[in-house]
Amino acid sequence: TSDGRSYLGLSTEMEYAIDVDNTASLKHFTEYYFQVVPVKNGKEGLYSKPLLVRTQPAVPATPLITAFNYTTVPGEIIVSFDRKWSISGGIIKEFEIFYARNTSDYNIGTKQGVLSRKRRQSQGSVTADSAAVNIRISDLNPGEPYIFSMLTVNELGLQSEKSEATAAKTQTGLPGVPTITNRDGSGRDAILVKWSAPTITNGQIMGYYVYYRLDNSFNDVAARVTAPFNKLYQNVTGLEEGFTYELAVSAFTEEGEGEKSSWEEARTRPKSVPNIMETPVVKVVDWHTIEVNWKLLDDGLTGIDTFTIYLNSQIDGGEGSSYKIPNRNDRYARITSLDENTSFTLSIVAENWIGTSKKSAQASFRTPKKPVYLRVWVAGTITGGVVFLLMCFFFLMFYYFIWKK
């Protein structure tokens, strides 16, 4: 009312308790004077003696953990939360997050392959000021499960209830997962597997493990080979010819081995005929000589016996010539006695004991015209005639100018 008082009408004479939460005009943690007066026929009687009462302070609302985020630092986690400002609880002073290692969900498997690991915090709490919307917690055990809960503290020191426990795993101290980019049978007993490095290394990668096992194996046991840190491929050998294998790759640091990549299938190659697909390279040396170089993509896993070069010219009318070349590592041949000023096409096949490859792509070239040379005797005759005429000229000059006088 105008005099600053509020009234609560009571219909009968008995004891009443006034609930602060149901009296909108009252504030939390505020002093009020209370008086009671009887009313009869609309007229007030005598007021009771004023009683000074302080209302109870409000307890802050319980915050809610909403998300977990990770950094590149092992054992570090960022906890995000909803502050719950919509519920009055006085002025917030700080937030506190409690954490403890979740031993009921501890996975001993994360410790496999560990060379050395520093034991860090297993439990504790972290506080943040009233402006915070997330809290960073560091120096936890890398790659292990923790449970988190939090509460709010207002300026009067009153605490909210703890939020429900929420589980999360800290950032692992082990390297991330490599990605297999290619795998293919490189031989009758070998598979070449390639991969990309993990995006998160958590330290210096010391090397990679390449696991392999037969597809549809009745057990999960896999053999492995080790590749150096600067080599993102490995030729896995000693396998069975024509079988399908599963392969996976993991990285390791001084902290231990990281998680394996997904298993990828590849098949070793059976013996077959060789394969030449690249176009031979032809170099024209002179009007009747060429040099040929070529690459063998696949020897069929049995080795090569011979190469055959097929040469066709416009003059041949399609019949052409062939040249048998023994197998050599330099993949080179020199062919002579060709026709001058002629266009040729050239292709190559390889042969092993199983069969002959398809012809390579054709290379085209043209020999130049044969150069014209003066014979030695013609050149000598001309030179001699010139010398004779010069001698006659000098003799006449001598006779006319000197001897005659």
mmCIF file of all heavy atoms in Angstrom, residues 70-95:
data_model
loop_
_atom_site.group_PDB
_atom_site.id
_atom_site.type_symbol
_atom_site.label_atom_id
_atom_site.label_comp_id
_atom_site.label_asym_id
_atom_site.label_seq_id
_atom_site.Cartn_x
_atom_site.Cartn_y
_atom_site.Cartn_z
ATOM 1 N N TYR A 70 38.053 -31.299 -26.558
ATOM 2 C CA TYR A 70 39.415 -31.764 -26.359
ATOM 3 C C TYR A 70 40.415 -30.832 -27.029
ATOM 4 O O TYR A 70 40.106 -30.157 -28.006
ATOM 5 C CB TYR A 70 39.568 -33.187 -26.909
ATOM 6 C CG TYR A 70 38.636 -34.173 -26.259
ATOM 7 C CD1 TYR A 70 37.401 -34.461 -26.829
ATOM 8 C CD2 TYR A 70 38.970 -34.780 -25.058
ATOM 9 C CE1 TYR A 70 36.532 -35.350 -26.224
ATOM 10 C CE2 TYR A 70 38.109 -35.667 -24.443
ATOM 11 C CZ TYR A 70 36.892 -35.947 -25.030
ATOM 12 O OH TYR A 70 36.032 -36.818 -24.424
ATOM 13 N N THR A 71 41.617 -30.829 -26.497
ATOM 14 C CA THR A 71 42.727 -30.096 -27.085
ATOM 15 C C THR A 71 43.745 -31.119 -27.571
ATOM 16 O O THR A 71 43.520 -32.317 -27.501
ATOM 17 C CB THR A 71 43.373 -29.168 -26.043
ATOM 18 O OG1 THR A 71 44.041 -29.972 -25.050
ATOM 19 C CG2 THR A 71 42.325 -28.298 -25.365
ATOM 20 N N THR A 72 44.872 -30.631 -28.066
ATOM 21 C CA THR A 72 45.935 -31.542 -28.504
ATOM 22 C C THR A 72 46.844 -31.954 -27.356
ATOM 23 O O THR A 72 47.792 -32.701 -27.563
ATOM 24 C CB THR A 72 46.776 -30.871 -29.602
ATOM 25 O OG1 THR A 72 47.329 -29.650 -29.091
ATOM 26 C CG2 THR A 72 45.933 -30.568 -30.827
ATOM 27 N N VAL A 73 46.561 -31.462 -26.152
ATOM 28 C CA VAL A 73 47.398 -31.771 -24.993
ATOM 29 C C VAL A 73 46.904 -33.063 -24.354
ATOM 30 O O VAL A 73 45.722 -33.183 -24.013
ATOM 31 C CB VAL A 73 47.358 -30.627 -23.960
ATOM 32 C CG1 VAL A 73 48.213 -30.969 -22.751
ATOM 33 C CG2 VAL A 73 47.819 -29.330 -24.607
ATOM 34 N N PRO A 74 47.770 -34.063 -24.190
ATOM 35 C CA PRO A 74 47.345 -35.308 -23.546
ATOM 36 C C PRO A 74 46.821 -35.055 -22.141
ATOM 37 O O PRO A 74 47.381 -34.267 -21.377
ATOM 38 C CB PRO A 74 48.627 -36.141 -23.525
ATOM 39 C CG PRO A 74 49.478 -35.574 -24.602
ATOM 40 C CD PRO A 74 49.165 -34.121 -24.645
ATOM 41 N N GLY A 75 45.734 -35.722 -21.778
ATOM 42 C CA GLY A 75 45.190 -35.612 -20.433
ATOM 43 C C GLY A 75 44.453 -34.326 -20.163
ATOM 44 O O GLY A 75 44.176 -34.013 -19.003
ATOM 45 N N GLU A 76 44.105 -33.570 -21.188
ATOM 46 C CA GLU A 76 43.410 -32.302 -21.002
ATOM 47 C C GLU A 76 42.000 -32.392 -21.576
ATOM 48 O O GLU A 76 41.782 -33.013 -22.617
ATOM 49 C CB GLU A 76 44.181 -31.170 -21.681
ATOM 50 C CG GLU A 76 43.616 -29.786 -21.393
ATOM 51 C CD GLU A 76 44.548 -28.699 -21.872
ATOM 52 O OE1 GLU A 76 44.536 -28.394 -23.080
ATOM 53 O OE2 GLU A 76 45.305 -28.152 -21.050
ATOM 54 N N ILE A 77 41.044 -31.748 -20.895
ATOM 55 C CA ILE A 77 39.653 -31.772 -21.341
ATOM 56 C C ILE A 77 39.007 -30.441 -20.979
ATOM 57 O O ILE A 77 39.373 -29.815 -19.974
ATOM 58 C CB ILE A 77 38.899 -32.962 -20.707
ATOM 59 C CG1 ILE A 77 37.567 -33.206 -21.419
ATOM 60 C CG2 ILE A 77 38.678 -32.748 -19.210
ATOM 61 C CD1 ILE A 77 36.917 -34.514 -21.033
ATOM 62 N N ILE A 78 38.070 -29.974 -21.797
ATOM 63 C CA ILE A 78 37.337 -28.731 -21.545
ATOM 64 C C ILE A 78 35.876 -29.086 -21.306
ATOM 65 O O ILE A 78 35.240 -29.721 -22.160
ATOM 66 C CB ILE A 78 37.463 -27.760 -22.718
ATOM 67 C CG1 ILE A 78 38.934 -27.372 -22.919
ATOM 68 C CG2 ILE A 78 36.618 -26.514 -22.484
ATOM 69 C CD1 ILE A 78 39.168 -26.507 -24.130
ATOM 70 N N VAL A 79 35.358 -28.680 -20.151
ATOM 71 C CA VAL A 79 33.985 -28.983 -19.773
ATOM 72 C C VAL A 79 33.126 -27.739 -19.993
ATOM 73 O O VAL A 79 33.409 -26.672 -19.444
ATOM 74 C CB VAL A 79 33.907 -29.427 -18.299
ATOM 75 C CG1 VAL A 79 32.472 -29.807 -17.944
ATOM 76 C CG2 VAL A 79 34.852 -30.601 -18.046
ATOM 77 N N SER A 80 32.088 -27.863 -20.809
ATOM 78 C CA SER A 80 31.141 -26.769 -21.044
ATOM 79 C C SER A 80 29.861 -27.032 -20.264
ATOM 80 O O SER A 80 29.479 -28.198 -20.063
ATOM 81 C CB SER A 80 30.826 -26.653 -22.542
ATOM 82 O OG SER A 80 32.008 -26.382 -23.279
ATOM 83 N N PHE A 81 29.179 -25.948 -19.829
ATOM 84 C CA PHE A 81 28.001 -26.143 -18.980
ATOM 85 C C PHE A 81 26.990 -25.028 -19.189
ATOM 86 O O PHE A 81 27.297 -23.947 -19.694
ATOM 87 C CB PHE A 81 28.401 -26.222 -17.498
ATOM 88 C CG PHE A 81 29.212 -25.056 -17.019
ATOM 89 C CD1 PHE A 81 28.603 -23.918 -16.489
ATOM 90 C CD2 PHE A 81 30.600 -25.090 -17.088
ATOM 91 C CE1 PHE A 81 29.355 -22.847 -16.056
ATOM 92 C CE2 PHE A 81 31.364 -24.009 -16.656
ATOM 93 C CZ PHE A 81 30.742 -22.891 -16.135
ATOM 94 N N ASP A 82 25.755 -25.324 -18.785
ATOM 95 C CA ASP A 82 24.652 -24.352 -18.800
ATOM 96 C C ASP A 82 24.576 -23.718 -17.413
ATOM 97 O O ASP A 82 24.440 -24.411 -16.399
ATOM 98 C CB ASP A 82 23.349 -25.081 -19.138
ATOM 99 C CG ASP A 82 22.171 -24.118 -19.250
ATOM 100 O OD1 ASP A 82 22.334 -22.932 -18.921
ATOM 101 O OD2 ASP A 82 21.085 -24.580 -19.648
ATOM 102 N N ARG A 83 24.647 -22.383 -17.346
ATOM 103 C CA ARG A 83 24.740 -21.684 -16.056
ATOM 104 C C ARG A 83 23.411 -21.629 -15.306
ATOM 105 O O ARG A 83 23.372 -21.361 -14.114
ATOM 106 C CB ARG A 83 25.241 -20.259 -16.301
ATOM 107 C CG ARG A 83 26.579 -20.215 -16.987
ATOM 108 C CD ARG A 83 26.786 -18.911 -17.748
ATOM 109 N NE ARG A 83 26.715 -17.763 -16.867
ATOM 110 C CZ ARG A 83 27.759 -17.202 -16.269
ATOM 111 N NH1 ARG A 83 28.966 -17.702 -16.475
ATOM 112 N NH2 ARG A 83 27.615 -16.161 -15.495
ATOM 113 N N LYS A 84 22.288 -21.801 -15.988
ATOM 114 C CA LYS A 84 20.972 -21.794 -15.349
ATOM 115 C C LYS A 84 20.665 -20.443 -14.685
ATOM 116 O O LYS A 84 20.228 -20.361 -13.538
ATOM 117 C CB LYS A 84 20.860 -22.920 -14.309
ATOM 118 C CG LYS A 84 20.884 -24.321 -14.888
ATOM 119 C CD LYS A 84 19.647 -24.592 -15.700
ATOM 120 C CE LYS A 84 19.610 -26.007 -16.226
ATOM 121 N NZ LYS A 84 18.433 -26.262 -17.056
ATOM 122 N N TRP A 85 20.865 -19.341 -15.428
ATOM 123 C CA TRP A 85 20.599 -18.015 -14.869
ATOM 124 C C TRP A 85 19.098 -17.771 -14.658
ATOM 125 O O TRP A 85 18.699 -16.898 -13.920
ATOM 126 C CB TRP A 85 21.104 -16.933 -15.826
ATOM 127 C CG TRP A 85 22.586 -16.729 -15.774
ATOM 128 C CD1 TRP A 85 23.452 -16.845 -16.811
ATOM 129 C CD2 TRP A 85 23.373 -16.372 -14.655
ATOM 130 N NE1 TRP A 85 24.731 -16.588 -16.418
ATOM 131 C CE2 TRP A 85 24.717 -16.284 -15.076
ATOM 132 C CE3 TRP A 85 23.090 -16.114 -13.307
ATOM 133 C CZ2 TRP A 85 25.760 -15.957 -14.225
ATOM 134 C CZ3 TRP A 85 24.143 -15.782 -12.461
ATOM 135 C CH2 TRP A 85 25.449 -15.720 -12.927
ATOM 136 N N SER A 86 18.261 -18.519 -15.329
ATOM 137 C CA SER A 86 16.819 -18.234 -15.274
ATOM 138 C C SER A 86 16.225 -18.450 -13.897
ATOM 139 O O SER A 86 15.150 -17.968 -13.592
ATOM 140 C CB SER A 86 16.088 -19.124 -16.296
ATOM 141 O OG SER A 86 16.319 -20.493 -15.996
ATOM 142 N N ILE A 87 16.911 -19.174 -13.037
ATOM 143 C CA ILE A 87 16.406 -19.426 -11.684
ATOM 144 C C ILE A 87 17.192 -18.564 -10.709
ATOM 145 O O ILE A 87 18.417 -18.647 -10.645
ATOM 146 C CB ILE A 87 16.539 -20.921 -11.313
ATOM 147 C CG1 ILE A 87 15.773 -21.760 -12.329
ATOM 148 C CG2 ILE A 87 16.032 -21.178 -9.909
ATOM 149 C CD1 ILE A 87 15.919 -23.241 -12.101
ATOM 150 N N SER A 88 16.507 -17.754 -9.965
ATOM 151 C CA SER A 88 17.183 -16.809 -9.065
ATOM 152 C C SER A 88 17.895 -17.561 -7.956
ATOM 153 O O SER A 88 17.353 -18.475 -7.345
ATOM 154 C CB SER A 88 16.172 -15.839 -8.465
ATOM 155 O OG SER A 88 16.799 -15.001 -7.526
ATOM 156 N N GLY A 89 19.112 -17.138 -7.693
ATOM 157 C CA GLY A 89 19.867 -17.732 -6.595
ATOM 158 C C GLY A 89 20.872 -16.753 -6.067
ATOM 159 O O GLY A 89 21.889 -17.140 -5.495
ATOM 160 N N GLY A 90 20.603 -15.484 -6.260
ATOM 161 C CA GLY A 90 21.550 -14.479 -5.826
ATOM 162 C C GLY A 90 22.643 -14.302 -6.867
ATOM 163 O O GLY A 90 22.640 -14.909 -7.937
ATOM 164 N N ILE A 91 23.601 -13.476 -6.543
ATOM 165 C CA ILE A 91 24.709 -13.204 -7.452
ATOM 166 C C ILE A 91 25.706 -14.365 -7.383
ATOM 167 O O ILE A 91 26.160 -14.753 -6.304
ATOM 168 C CB ILE A 91 25.395 -11.888 -7.085
ATOM 169 C CG1 ILE A 91 24.398 -10.736 -7.230
ATOM 170 C CG2 ILE A 91 26.613 -11.643 -7.959
ATOM 171 C CD1 ILE A 91 24.939 -9.402 -6.787
ATOM 172 N N ILE A 92 26.054 -14.916 -8.549
ATOM 173 C CA ILE A 92 26.962 -16.062 -8.597
ATOM 174 C C ILE A 92 28.390 -15.597 -8.341
ATOM 175 O O ILE A 92 28.863 -14.610 -8.921
ATOM 176 C CB ILE A 92 26.860 -16.768 -9.960
ATOM 177 C CG1 ILE A 92 25.438 -17.269 -10.204
ATOM 178 C CG2 ILE A 92 27.845 -17.935 -10.049
ATOM 179 C CD1 ILE A 92 24.956 -18.252 -9.185
ATOM 180 N N LYS A 93 29.073 -16.333 -7.499
ATOM 181 C CA LYS A 93 30.468 -16.027 -7.207
ATOM 182 C C LYS A 93 31.412 -16.886 -8.032
ATOM 183 O O LYS A 93 32.376 -16.402 -8.629
ATOM 184 C CB LYS A 93 30.741 -16.236 -5.723
ATOM 185 C CG LYS A 93 32.193 -15.996 -5.326
ATOM 186 C CD LYS A 93 32.404 -16.313 -3.859
ATOM 187 C CE LYS A 93 33.872 -16.126 -3.470
ATOM 188 N NZ LYS A 93 34.111 -16.496 -2.054
ATOM 189 N N GLU A 94 31.149 -18.209 -8.080
ATOM 190 C CA GLU A 94 32.046 -19.105 -8.805
ATOM 191 C C GLU A 94 31.354 -20.432 -9.104
ATOM 192 O O GLU A 94 30.286 -20.736 -8.542
ATOM 193 C CB GLU A 94 33.329 -19.375 -8.012
ATOM 194 C CG GLU A 94 33.090 -20.083 -6.697
ATOM 195 C CD GLU A 94 34.369 -20.266 -5.893
ATOM 196 O OE1 GLU A 94 35.382 -19.652 -6.264
ATOM 197 O OE2 GLU A 94 34.338 -21.015 -4.908
ATOM 198 N N PHE A 95 31.983 -21.195 -9.988
ATOM 199 C CA PHE A 95 31.565 -22.550 -10.298
ATOM 200 C C PHE A 95 32.688 -23.505 -9.901
ATOM 201 O O PHE A 95 33.864 -23.154 -9.960
ATOM 202 C CB PHE A 95 31.277 -22.716 -11.791
ATOM 203 C CG PHE A 95 30.165 -21.846 -12.290
ATOM 204 C CD1 PHE A 95 30.440 -20.628 -12.893
ATOM 205 C CD2 PHE A 95 28.842 -22.232 -12.157
ATOM 206 C CE1 PHE A 95 29.424 -19.809 -13.350
ATOM 207 C CE2 PHE A 95 27.816 -21.423 -12.615
ATOM 208 C CZ PHE A 95 28.109 -20.206 -13.213
#
